[in-house]
Amino acid sequence: MFKVGIISDTHNYCDPRIPNLFAGVDHILHGGDIGMPAIILALEQIAPVTAVSGNTDDPGFRYPQTAVVELAGRKFLAHHIVNPHALTDSLQARIARERPDVVVFGHTHKPFSEIIGRTRFFNPGYAGKSRFGLERSVAILHCGEKAIRAEYLPL
């Protein structure tokens, strides 16, 4: 079983519980609004990281807008602002071209998991400091041979 840690919207805060929650993951995907590069460095102490820029990230850090990575024979596309039911033309074209199994995103600060067509759209919620009275969470995608199972982990 290949495990992918999914995190988003850290907003320059790495919760001290994350290393324990992500213990044993094989890779981490960050859906944007990272904050300082030290957040990525902290996550890299747990597992390799693929991360994308969010709308609050400093362009000087040069985080990519979109990233595609293959893990455990599946393709993951990460992009910060995604409305699964109303994709922008450019994102719709990229998804059609890449044909990802999973699109990881953030921005809304709300967990979301829905399969549309053949693609799972997945938002882990947000991992930054408590804001707006919303529940904070990260997630793990358990990638088996036949299916992907999502597990949300509250912070």
Side-chain angles (χ1 to χ4, degrees):
M1 181 77 58
F2 193 92
K3 296 194 292 186
V4 182
I6 312 291
I7 188 169
S8 190
D9 297 278
T10 46
H11 294 282
N12 208 38
Y13 175 67
C14 192
D15 190 293
R17 292 172 282 195
I18 289 171
N20 285 340
L21 292 173
F22 279 176
V25 301
D26 299 288
H27 198 93
I28 297 170
L29 292 175
H30 194 304
D33 279 354
I34 299 159
M36 298 295 284
I39 300 295
I40 301 299
L41 294 174
L43 294 172
E44 286 174 336
Q45 300 303 307
I46 304 166
V49 176
T50 300
V52 295
S53 181
N55 60 301
T56 68
D57 285 317
D58 184 330
F61 294 138
R62 307 186 81 153
Y63 303 134
Q65 291 295 312
T66 305
V68 177
V69 63
E70 277 200 45
L71 304 167
R74 292 190 173 84
K75 193 180 276 191
F76 294 82
L77 183 148
H79 189 87
H80 185 59
I81 300 175
V82 176
N83 180 342
H85 297 290
L87 296 171
T88 63
D89 290 343
S90 62
L91 190 56
Q92 192 168 359
R94 182 80 186 258
I95 290 169
R97 186 171 65 249
E98 298 286 355
R99 298 177 50 81
D101 297 286
V102 180
V103 172
V104 170
F105 65 103
H107 187 62
T108 66
H109 292 200
K110 296 175 185 169
F112 182 93
S113 180
E114 187 176 326
I115 296 172
I116 300 171
R118 59 175 293 282
T119 304
R120 178 189 297 265
F121 288 82
F122 193 81
N123 186 328
Y126 80 107
K129 289 186 178 177
S130 188
R131 298 169 61 184
F132 313 122
L134 297 172
E135 297 290 324
R136 299 167 55 241
S137 61
V138 295
I140 295 176
L141 293 179
H142 300 267
C143 302
E145 283 186 35
K146 295 183 175 151
I148 296 175
R149 179 177 61 84
E151 176 186 15
Y152 285 96
L153 305 168
L155 286 172

